[in-house]
Amino acid sequence: MHEIIQEDQQAFLYLNNLGSQPFDQLWIMVSATWIWVPLYVIFLYLLYKEYRVRNLIFILIFIALGVTVSDQLAGIFKTGIARLRPCHDPTLEGLVREVKCGGQFGFYSSHASNTFFIATLMSILLRKTHKYLPYLLFFWAAMVSYSRIYLGVHFPMDLIMGALMGFFLGGFFATLSLKVIYKRAKTNS
């Protein structure tokens, strides 16, 4: 386990130190939640077009539940595992290119979990009508996740675990959404 943590730290330091001050504001924006509001509006529109209002309400409930579960699980892991963020790790002092720092603990990344949750859920719900959308969504989720390394707040393993949890939860809540929609369609027929 010690070797894995060392490799994780080395990968982090390599990726984190690729950054350059002229790009700091860009990556701060990529990591911010508010900048993606127009994307979420597009998601809402695509879901409305595909499922109409009555089903959209159920989907939005499952999205809200899924993001809440994703975010809360990450919080539980952060305090339970108690792995220091790179910007708080005394063994990395002076080595981290710290652009922004967050709370004390970082395993696992809620940014990665939430974006991969949304990417997975949207990909499953819209795959029939938008076959190239998953490529864009997973690129977006990977970009947001990488921004966390760039800023100095997460190790790569934090992001991998967050992405896996988001992927799992996105699949689970998308499946629940589709089951409810198809069950409602059968009962209304």
Side-chain angles (χ1 to χ4, degrees):
M1 191 65 178
H2 182 69
E3 286 179 29
I4 293 171
I5 290 172
Q6 278 189 311
E7 291 294 323
D8 194 28
Q9 288 177 334
Q10 292 304 313
F12 165 79
L13 289 172
Y14 174 76
L15 293 169
N16 173 256
N17 284 294
L18 290 175
S20 175
Q21 189 175 7
F23 295 101
D24 289 354
Q25 285 306 311
L26 169 72
W27 289 103
I28 288 171
M29 280 186 2
V30 167
S31 193
T33 306
W34 60 267
I35 194 76
W36 298 110
V37 168
L39 182 64
Y40 302 145
V41 171
I42 292 169
F43 292 163
L44 187 62
Y45 172 72
L46 293 175
L47 289 170
Y48 167 75
K49 258 182 75 175
E50 183 75 20
Y51 294 101
R52 299 295 170 214
V53 173
R54 296 184 84 198
N55 290 325
L56 179 61
I57 292 168
F58 289 103
I59 292 170
L60 292 176
I61 290 169
F62 283 118
I63 290 173
L65 286 171
V67 168
T68 301
V69 168
S70 171
D71 211 49
Q72 294 305 306
L73 270 177
I76 291 167
F77 270 79
K78 283 177 185 170
T79 55
I81 303 286
R83 182 180 189 194
L84 293 173
R85 289 181 186 268
C87 54
H88 291 299
D89 191 333
T91 64
L92 300 178
E93 194 169 323
L95 301 173
V96 176
R97 189 177 172 284
E98 184 183 326
V99 178
K100 188 177 180 183
C101 196
Q104 189 175 11
F105 304 122
F107 185 82
Y108 60 88
S109 169
S110 54
H111 273 76
S113 183
N114 291 338
T115 54
F116 274 89
F117 166 80
I118 292 169
T120 303
L121 182 127
M122 296 298 294
S123 294
I124 291 170
L125 293 180
L126 298 172
R127 69 178 172 225
K128 290 180 183 173
T129 54
H130 300 85
K131 64 181 177 179
Y132 297 108
L133 186 63
Y135 300 108
L136 295 171
L137 292 176
F138 286 107
F139 174 77
W140 163 71
M143 187 174 68
V144 170
S145 296
Y146 171 74
S147 76
R148 308 305 287 164
I149 291 174
Y150 183 98
L151 298 176
V153 296
H154 282 295
F155 291 105
M157 290 300 292
D158 302 345
L159 302 175
I160 291 168
M161 180 64 174
L164 289 172
M165 290 298 285
F167 185 78
F168 169 74
L169 291 170
F172 177 74
F173 280 96
T175 302
L176 285 178
S177 297
L178 291 173
K179 283 187 183 267
V180 168
I181 289 167
Y182 293 138
K183 188 173 183 175
R184 290 190 62 213
K186 281 185 179 181
T187 58
N188 290 339
S189 299

